[in-house]
Amino acid sequence: ARGAGVTVAVLDSGLSEQAFPDARRVTDVVDPFRDDRGIDPHGTTVAGLLAGPPVEVDGDGDDGDEGAAPRPVGIAPDVRLVDVPVYESRGTTSDSLPPTADNLAGGLEVVDRTGGVDVVLVPFAVARADDDASRRVVRAVRRLTRDGVVVVAASGDRPTEEAERTFDRFGGYVP
């Protein structure tokens, strides 16, 4: 139940290479590693909640955990990660451009083309999109779910207006 044998694509800002050195990197949509400004920590944080390795406790008594066993960080630390950056990262959340429906569609399409993924994690919502981007997102989700991939997506996070309802915009599609 630790995720062994499961591959999860994280569509987000990118994963820190230091935190997740074994993640497969797919930079077909956006390449946040193209310069030295660093990546937005959102993707790394989300991946840590999912696949962060156990934290070793030093047992020196400084933290009150003398002799304690390692504490799990992620809920499935044995999953294999695929890093699919889909928004322009500028090093901090406040400097990052919000994800777009076009980049989300591109990320889903890349995952669909490359295959080998069991779960796609989309931990953000996008603002209203033009009809072409909306159709691309829906088509990609349908293809992925038809092929047995589980797509987990947030229903809120980044829309700029309270009236924006991503669920309705994408046709209320639930596989």
Side-chain angles (χ1 to χ4, degrees):
R2 294 171 45 99
V6 176
T7 300
V8 179
V10 180
L11 279 66
D12 206 297
S13 62
L15 308 183
S16 161
E17 292 175 323
Q18 181 180 1
F20 296 102
D22 297 329
R24 190 172 90 208
R25 313 245 174 240
V26 178
T27 55
D28 295 29
V29 181
V30 174
D31 185 1
F33 305 102
R34 69 184 174 282
D35 57 36
D36 61 358
R37 289 181 286 182
I39 62 168
D40 182 303
H42 192 268
T44 301
T45 301
V46 167
L49 291 170
L50 174 67
V55 174
E56 296 294 329
V57 177
D58 61 19
D60 66 4
D62 291 345
D63 55 8
D65 288 333
E66 188 169 334
R71 293 177 283 184
V73 174
I75 59 170
D78 295 336
V79 300
R80 289 184 306 271
L81 293 175
V82 179
D83 178 16
V84 185
V86 294
Y87 66 90
E88 296 291 334
S89 182
R90 299 291 188 250
T92 66
T93 302
S94 62
D95 293 336
S96 291
L97 300 173
T100 65
D102 194 50
N103 281 4
L104 172 57
L108 292 167
E109 291 163 353
V110 165
V111 170
D112 184 42
R113 278 195 312 271
T114 58
V117 169
D118 304 297
V119 178
V120 176
L121 179 57
V122 183
F124 59 85
V126 294
R128 289 187 186 267
D130 63 54
D131 288 339
D132 181 56
S134 295
R135 282 191 295 273
R136 287 176 54 214
V137 168
V138 170
R139 280 194 307 264
V141 168
R142 285 182 177 157
R143 281 192 306 270
L144 288 163
T145 57
R146 181 188 62 227
D147 293 341
V149 176
V150 175
V151 179
V152 180
S155 63
D157 183 19
R158 301 247 185 181
T160 57
E161 296 179 21
E162 191 174 318
E164 292 181 17
R165 299 206 44 212
T166 305
F167 183 79
D168 291 341
R169 182 69 179 155
F170 292 117
Y173 176 73
V174 178

